[in-house]
Each structure stands twice: as structure tokens, then as C-alpha cells.
Amino acid sequence: MLSVKGLRAKVGDEEILKGLDLTVRPGEVHAIMGPNGSGKSTFAHVLSGRDGYEVTDGAASLDGVDLLALSPEERAQQGLFLAFQYPVELPGVNNTYFLKAALNSIRKARGEEELDAVSFLRLIREKLKILHLDDSLLKRAVNVGFSGGEKKRNEIFQMALLEPKLAILDETDSGLDIDALRIVAEGVNALRSPERSVILVTHYQRLLDYIEPDVVHVLYKGRIIRTGGKELALELEERGYGWIIDEEHAA
Amino acid sequence: MTSTPAVDDFVKSDYEHGFVTEIESETFPPGLDEDVIRAISARKGEPEFMTEWRLKAFRHWQGMAKPTWAAVDYPPIDFQAISYFSAPKRPEDAPKSLDEIDPVLRETYDKLGIPIEEQKALAGIAVDAVFDSVSVATTFRATLAEAGVIFCSISEAVHDYPELIQQYLGSVVPHTDNFYACLNAAVFSDGTFVYIPKGVRCPMELSTYFRINARNTGQFERTLIVAEPGSYVSYLEGCTAPQRDENQLHAAVVELVALDDAEIKYSTVQNWYPGDAEGRGGIYNFVTKRGDCRGARSKISWTQVETGSAITWKYPSCLLRGEGSIGEFYSVAVTKGRQQADTGTKMIHLAPNTRSTIVSKGISAGRSTQTYRGLVRIGQRAAGARNHTQCDSLLIGDRCTANTLPYIEVKHPGARMEHEATTSKISEDELFYCRSRGLGEEDAVSMIVNGFCKEVFNELPMEFAVEAQKLLSISLEGAVG
């Protein structure tokens, strides 16, 4: 599924990712943790193809397709999804219209038939039910005037609809109170399947109380310096990152 | 975001409707004097009062100076080098039905996708197509006549309804109003006349398609719409033009009169040839549009989507003379390449409890210049008057210019004024967000721009809104027809 090897990337003259390796198999949930400035969000952005990053070395592929050679939309069409840390507001663009255009663009790229309005609405209702959401979000402009919790829920809703092979959740827990966090986590859990992989990029252990990861990685200075099971996250919660960093420096 | 493929395409996209129809025109030689005015009037078989009206305007015009205050730049126009009359052949046996229309002409309309065909008729829209200067097709006259609605060319109206013409023509935009309006009064070729009788709700949307076609012929349209007390009409105006090398002057005048409790909704989609990348050969669009809310509780709404012309100089305005009358202006203006637009509105509050709303959305790309110029005036008698103005500019690329020049004059202490203005660029964040959801860059730009214009499109009649969005997307996608 996802294979990242020796990935190096710069922003301007500053190297942020310094040889990152990561393999995620179908159905797995990986958490990438690390202190501020370790390169977590950069990794999420580089994988999804955002401008402003220069990949200088390494490879990233999804099901054997070279992601780095593709535009952001082509990556999405390949089944990559990024839930934004700060979802963007699109004034005047109706949420339903946006979702339909996105879904049909992806279907078209895959050679599937575009959904008509009726089938699309049926699909939307189905997904709303899975996520226990009401349809009030649909009638509004994309993320405009949404609360922090609504924005994050809307991201998960988009994910449910676009059915990616690999979803990257970039700090989805940031700015959420405990109730909103639970709702979002339930949504992600409902979307777990043997075919779908998830990368949780997070600063805190808190999210992992609700979404149980199979693998936990610690990212530090652009490289993964420690990989373990979910108990690693608990240890980090207790002891912070300092001890791993010290061990890394010692080694 | 200085340069991306979608933006480049948008900036470079050629005019989609650029072709010339070969049709024999009967055109006056260039030049303008009293003899030409008399010849135009005679050619149209006008009654004496019309000839005199034109001559009066012409004499006034000779003493007028060209306006220079607008933020547009163009070489001086030689008014003696313009031909002031051009009519399609066979004007004496004007067609009675679509079948009688010159096939070349019909082909032109088809190429433009102008729905003059039956399907449009079935859709319930009457079309009064203006080709060059003389109306060649009018449909649905019968249905409209049943409702007592008059919908005809202004030339016909001069013959058939001289008393209405004498009463209303020039009553909103007098010939002394401004340089181009005065010129129009002297030489106007044709246009549309609409009259909605008392208490009648016009049974269909009225639609006129304009086209400038004959080489080097200035076109001077004149439109007059009169809504009697308690009546309602929605009027749609749309236009495209063939590609040209010479600049073509277009100086139209539109007058609207709304009496007590009457409502006029006037919608425009304008897509005239904007010139090549250097701005050569585009249309000069110097238009005077004004609505007179003459009656109490009357309402006039201007909605416009402007994407064409090399130079636009246009301020659809409302005179709020009736107590409690309402004026509205909703506008989307798109400029790219070397286009220049100085456009906006005037809301003149003269009576108590009058209200006006202005929503202006400007999108500038390439090396274009766009200026919103708006005046809100609250007169001494306008107690309880209210205005809300919102001006938003969206910039694409970094070589375009957007200006907002609101003028506010308040002479009554009880007036309530609100003004909001924003200027923004399409952000990387917005684009990346859309693209990360699988939308191509062009679709993303189109979606963001359409969202930006949403409030205005909402005001357009359904069919026109679809057309307007399509027009915007075509420009943005850089599709070449």
C-alpha cells in the first residue's frame, strides 16, 4: 500500500524531512507523533502534493503508483485523502455541490460513471447515517461559519464520501473539545476497513484513546526515530519525547 | 500565486464567439451632420416629432465635450469616421416567423448558441433579436398581446405608439444627460420597447440578444421599458460579437420607468469582443442605463454579468422618487488581458423610506484595470432612507488593478448607510484544498470564482444564471470554441 523510502524535502533552503521511511499496509492505522517542528505536517503536505515543498530525494508510492510524480488532484484520484488541520473556507461554494464535483471528478478519473443528483443524494444520506451527522452542513458554503468541531466533522464526512485507500488526518484533534473529539473519532472508526489505511498525525496521545493505532511512530527532525505498538504512545504520554531524543542522540 | 496553468489559460483564452457573418448590409457612409440625422430618420420613416427630437439632441451634442473622468484610457474617437446606420438587407419585408429569417443569420445565432429556435420558444421566452441595427425576429408577440404587453422594436413603437414614445422617451435619460447619451439620442438606430399595462404580471421573461456585426458601424441601441402601476416584468439582455480589428463604439441608452407598486427586473449578460491580448480591436461600451422608480413602492433591480468589451463605462442607476421605492444593483464584472472597466451604479434617494442595495463583485486578471465607481445620494426629503453597499474585488495574478471609489452624499440626518469593501486574491490554500479533493486546477478556479459571485448569480433568472456560470467557466477554462 503506502511505501515511503528515504524521503527528503525542503522548504526554501531548510531541509525538513531528512530521509523518512514508512510502510503502511492495507487496513492499518498508524500514528505519527512528535514534538513541534519535527516535520509531521510537512510530511502530510508533501504526500498530498502541496506546492512550496521541494522533494530532493527518496520515493513515495501508493499501491505501486509513484505519488511524487502526480498533481494533488491525481493523488486524490489514486485514493489519497488529507483531512486538513485547518480546513479551508470556500465562500459561496455549496458543500453538497463541492462534494458532488469532487466525487465525480475522482470517479471520472477512475473510469467510473459520474453519479447523478439522485444517486448522489442517496449516497450522502447513507454516509450521514454512518457518521451520525445531520444534514445541516450540506446546505451551507464549504466550511464558512463552521465551528472548529463542524469543520473537522466535515473533513471526516468528505473522507467517508470519497472512500480513500489512504487517509492522512493532520492534527485532526487540535482545537477540539472532548465531545467533538469523540464524535470525530467515532466517524474515523466507522470508516476503518481491511482495505483502508489511516495515518494519524498528532501531537497528543489523547486522540489515540479513541482511535486505537496498530503502529506508533515518533518523528523527530525529519526522520522516524522510534516505532512501536500503541503502548509507545502511552509511554510518550507519561515520559514526554525527551528520553527518546536522548537515546537517539546517544546512538 | 503568480502563474499557474489555469490562470495562464484564463488570461490567454481567445474570444470564443469570434467570427464574422457575411450578410449584405445597407450601410451609410461614415460621417455625422444634420443631413445624416435626417437621413436616418427618413430611412426609418419616422414622424416629424422624432426627427426634431434627434436634431435637438444633435445640436446639443455638438457643444458637448467628451467625458474624461473615468479611469479608462483609449485613443480619441473620430466621430466622423463612424457610419451611423446599417440595416440587414430586405428591411421592407421583415420576417414574420423564424422560417423567414436569413439562413446565414440563423446560422450565426446557432453558432453563438442563441436559443432563438423553437426549444427556446417552448421554454417560454420571447426573443427580440437585434442584428446590427434593425430587429429581425420577434416571437411570442401574440401571447404577449393577449396580456396587453407591448414588446417590439423601438422603431415600430415610434410608428405604432407615438403617444407613449413622446411621453416617456428621454424622460429618464434626457438628451442633455451626458455626451454619449446625447449622441445616442441623435442617431439611435433601434432597440426595444416594452410596455406593461396596469396590474399585469408579464407572462414570460422578455429577452433580447444584441449583436454588433457590420464593420466599423457604431451601434446605438435605445431601450425603453414602462411598467404601469402594479405591473411586473423581467427583462433579459445578452450579447456576443464577432472578432474585429477596429474598435467599435457602442453607446446604448436604457430607460426604465416604474410607476406605483410596479417592479422591473433588468438582467444583462454581456460578452462583447474584448480585443486581443494587447487590447486591439475590442468593443468600446459606453452605456447609460437608468431606472426611474417614479411611483410609490416601485422597485427596479439591475443585475449584470459583464465579461466582455475592451472598455466598459457603465453605471446602471436608480432614481428613487416614489415613497418607499427600492433600487437594487447586483454586478459581476470580469476583466482580463488589457480590458478596462469603470463601472458601478448610482442610487439617488429622493423620497422618504427609500431603500437601495448594491452588491458588486469584480474579478480582475491579466493586465486589466477595473474600477468600481458608485454614488449613493440621500436627498433632503429622503427621511428613513437606507442603503447597503458591498464591493468585493478578487485579483487573479499580480499585474491587474482593482479600485473602489464609493461616493456618498447624505443630506438627511436620518439616513442609514452601510458600506463594506474587500479585496482578495484566490489563495493557494483554497486551490490546494479543492485539488486535494480530486478537482482539477481549472475546475477549482472556476468553482472558487463562481462561489465569489454567488450572491449576484442568485439574483439572475434561473436560465440566465446557468448561462452566466457557463460564461464564467468558459473564460476561466480558456476553452476555445
Side-chain angles (χ1 to χ4, degrees):
Chain A
M1 143 105 2
L2 178 73
S3 163
V4 178
K5 289 201 182 100
L7 189 64
R8 289 178 173 269
K10 294 199 296 190
V11 176
D13 288 333
E14 195 187 351
E15 187 167 57
I16 309 283
L17 301 182
K18 301 171 181 173
L20 193 151
D21 296 300
L22 179 69
T23 302
V24 179
R25 279 179 283 274
E28 288 181 348
V29 173
H30 287 227
I32 295 182
M33 304 181 71
N36 280 333
S38 57
K40 299 190 301 289
S41 284
T42 297
F43 177 57
H45 285 149
V46 166
L47 272 193
S48 49
R50 185 174 190 136
D51 278 350
Y53 300 92
E54 188 193 344
V55 175
T56 51
D57 198 14
S61 64
L62 184 63
D63 282 345
V65 177
D66 177 10
L67 287 176
L68 301 179
L70 303 179
S71 66
E73 55 270 31
E74 288 166 333
R75 296 180 201 206
Q77 288 154 7
Q78 283 298 322
L80 185 74
F81 180 87
L82 172 67
F84 281 52
Q85 181 177 4
Y86 304 108
V88 179
E89 300 188 1
L90 301 176
V93 179
N94 175 275
N95 212 11
T96 307
Y97 175 72
F98 177 71
L99 291 170
K100 183 162 177 262
L103 180 65
N104 278 334
S105 172
I106 288 175
R107 291 180 68 100
K108 203 168 147 191
R110 291 179 185 163
E112 295 164 7
E113 208 175 309
E114 293 183 37
L115 289 185
D116 60 30
V118 176
S119 330
F120 179 74
L121 281 176
R122 197 177 300 135
L123 182 67
I124 272 198
R125 302 243 172 273
E126 198 181 297
K127 300 295 180 187
L128 285 171
K129 216 188 286 173
I130 295 174
L131 299 180
H132 303 288
L133 294 174
D134 62 54
D135 58 5
S136 62
L137 295 182
L138 297 176
K139 294 171 192 137
R140 293 155 65 180
V142 180
N143 293 324
V144 177
F146 285 26
S147 70
E150 283 175 327
K151 281 183 181 173
K152 298 297 171 78
R153 271 157 62 195
N154 196 35
E155 294 291 289
I156 303 306
F157 178 57
Q158 291 181 13
M159 171 181 156
L161 197 72
L162 300 180
E163 301 184 318
K165 283 189 240 172
L166 173 68
I168 306 169
L169 276 57
D170 186 11
E171 307 261 1
T172 292
D173 48 339
S174 70
L176 291 188
D177 63 34
I178 204 75
D179 291 327
L181 182 65
R182 188 178 295 127
I183 292 169
V184 166
E186 279 170 9
V188 174
N189 285 327
L191 297 172
R192 283 180 84 154
S193 85
E195 296 82 40
R196 180 169 302 132
S197 312
V198 178
I199 296 176
L200 303 167
V201 173
T202 181
H203 200 65
Y204 301 107
Q205 142 73 16
R206 198 174 64 152
L207 177 67
L208 307 182
D209 289 339
Y210 299 96
I211 307 172
E212 198 173 292
D214 299 302
V215 185
V216 174
H217 307 276
V218 176
L219 185 65
Y220 178 66
K221 289 193 174 169
R223 289 187 318 125
I224 285 172
I225 58 168
R226 184 66 59 98
T227 295
K230 60 178 183 259
E231 66 289 344
L232 177 58
L234 294 170
E235 204 172 352
L236 289 170
E237 173 83 347
E238 211 169 294
R239 300 173 61 189
Y241 292 107
W243 61 279
I244 299 184
I245 293 167
D246 289 344
E247 283 182 28
E248 171 72 10
H249 284 307
Chain B
M1 200 189 75
T2 47
S3 181
T4 61
V7 170
D8 285 350
D9 283 349
F10 168 49
V11 171
K12 281 187 232 140
S13 70
D14 287 336
Y15 182 69
E16 212 205 3
H17 299 307
F19 49 84
V20 175
T21 306
E22 289 181 18
I23 189 164
E24 277 182 72
S25 290
E26 192 181 315
T27 303
F28 282 17
L32 187 58
D33 56 26
E34 290 203 8
D35 289 341
V36 171
I37 306 283
R38 284 200 180 86
I40 292 170
S41 196
R43 182 73 176 64
K44 298 167 77 66
E46 289 177 348
E48 181 70 20
F49 81 87
M50 229 24 257
T51 316
E52 285 310 313
W53 194 74
R54 287 175 181 277
L55 286 170
K56 195 169 63 182
F58 178 67
R59 285 164 196 150
H60 186 81
W61 179 76
Q62 284 176 303
M64 290 179 99
K66 272 170 268 186
T68 53
W69 46 264
V72 295
D73 184 33
Y74 56 94
I77 298 168
D78 181 358
F79 291 94
Q80 295 302 334
I82 293 171
S83 167
Y84 289 86
F85 189 83
S86 163
K89 230 185 144 195
R90 297 180 289 140
E92 57 287 340
D93 51 18
K96 313 277 182 296
S97 77
L98 291 170
D99 301 334
E100 294 178 33
I101 292 176
D102 192 317
V104 182
L105 195 52
R106 289 186 67 176
E107 213 180 294
T108 307
Y109 288 133
D110 287 345
K111 274 193 218 166
L112 286 170
I114 290 178
I116 200 167
E117 304 289 357
E118 266 83 339
Q119 61 264 37
K120 191 73 175 185
L122 289 169
I125 290 187
V127 178
D128 178 80
V130 174
F131 185 83
D132 277 1
S133 311
V134 171
S135 303
V136 291
T138 304
T139 50
F140 272 109
R141 293 275 283 275
T143 318
L144 292 171
E146 231 168 83
V149 172
I150 301 169
F151 178 45
C152 63
S153 75
I154 202 139
S155 309
E156 288 173 279
V158 167
H159 288 282
D160 300 347
Y161 313 100
E163 63 295 334
L164 287 174
I165 294 296
Q166 273 181 294
Q167 187 180 350
Y168 290 108
L169 192 72
S171 74
V172 184
V173 180
H175 70 269
T176 52
D177 191 82
N178 69 70
F179 184 82
Y180 292 106
C182 188
L183 177 63
N184 176 290
V187 302
F188 77 88
S189 37
D190 211 336
T192 305
F193 176 67
V194 176
Y195 176 84
I196 315 291
K198 196 171 173 178
V200 169
R201 196 178 166 85
C202 185
M204 60 189 71
E205 312 250 346
L206 302 180
S207 165
T208 299
Y209 285 83
F210 288 77
R211 221 170 130 72
I212 302 175
N213 210 322
R215 187 166 282 263
N216 213 18
T217 299
Q219 185 155 5
F220 304 91
E221 299 288 343
R222 187 115 198 160
T223 301
L224 173 62
I225 299 178
V226 179
E228 289 280 7
S231 67
Y232 168 85
V233 64
S234 169
Y235 185 84
L236 283 56
E237 167 199 47
C239 28
T240 54
Q243 195 151 346
R244 287 285 174 196
D245 290 324
E246 300 112 285
N247 287 303
Q248 288 185 303
L249 175 64
H250 186 90
V253 172
V254 175
E255 297 179 280
L256 312 181
V257 180
L259 299 173
D260 287 356
D261 300 295
E263 180 178 348
I264 302 174
K265 195 171 164 60
Y266 194 103
S267 312
T268 305
V269 171
Q270 189 267 109
N271 183 26
W272 280 332
Y273 182 54
D276 63 17
E278 293 305 311
R280 283 184 298 255
I283 303 289
Y284 292 180
N285 189 23
F286 303 145
V287 181
T288 305
K289 287 184 164 175
R290 194 171 304 153
D292 186 356
C293 285
R294 208 167 281 185
R297 298 166 305 277
S298 57
K299 178 177 175 183
I300 290 178
S301 299
W302 299 99
T303 306
Q304 57 175 25
V305 177
E306 305 268 328
T307 65
S309 299
I311 301 175
T312 303
W313 184 94
K314 178 179 173 184
Y315 316 89
S317 306
C318 295
L319 289 172
L320 303 171
R321 294 207 284 161
E323 186 162 349
S325 60
I326 298 172
E328 294 177 334
F329 174 75
Y330 298 95
S331 169
V332 167
V334 183
T335 52
K336 59 183 181 182
R338 288 283 194 168
Q339 277 178 280
Q340 308 173 56
D342 192 307
T343 180
T345 183
K346 288 189 271 187
M347 293 292 173
I348 313 293
H349 294 251
L350 297 171
N353 301 318
T354 44
R355 281 182 288 150
S356 62
T357 303
I358 299 170
V359 178
S360 165
K361 304 276 183 177
I363 299 149
S364 323
R367 285 184 286 172
S368 64
T369 308
Q370 198 174 123
T371 302
Y372 168 82
R373 189 187 300 274
L375 168 66
V376 179
R377 179 184 292 154
I378 311 286
Q380 288 168 349
R381 287 182 49 246
R386 279 188 286 163
N387 164 264
H388 178 83
T389 299
Q390 187 190 332
C391 294
D392 299 321
S393 303
L394 187 68
L395 306 177
I396 301 179
D398 50 14
R399 290 187 300 168
C400 51
T401 309
N403 308 307
T404 300
L405 301 174
Y407 301 79
I408 298 172
E409 296 172 14
V410 179
K411 295 202 173 114
H412 193 286
R416 225 171 74 194
M417 313 283 294
E418 295 163 18
H419 184 95
E420 294 173 39
T422 65
T423 302
S424 56
K425 292 183 83 165
I426 290 189
S427 75
E428 281 295 341
D429 285 346
E430 288 171 325
L431 273 180
F432 177 61
Y433 191 67
C434 294
R435 295 178 71 187
S436 76
R437 298 300 179 252
L439 293 164
E441 189 174 17
E442 292 178 353
D443 290 341
V445 170
S446 165
M447 188 175 273
I448 292 164
V449 172
N450 271 299
F452 176 75
C453 302
K454 182 68 169 287
E455 287 159 278
V456 174
F457 288 162
N458 281 347
E459 296 298 322
L460 287 171
M462 182 73 155
E463 276 199 51
F464 238 31
V466 172
E467 234 170 83
Q469 287 189 24
K470 213 167 29 176
L471 185 59
L472 215 56
S473 295
I474 286 171
S475 310
L476 296 166
E477 281 166 12
V480 177

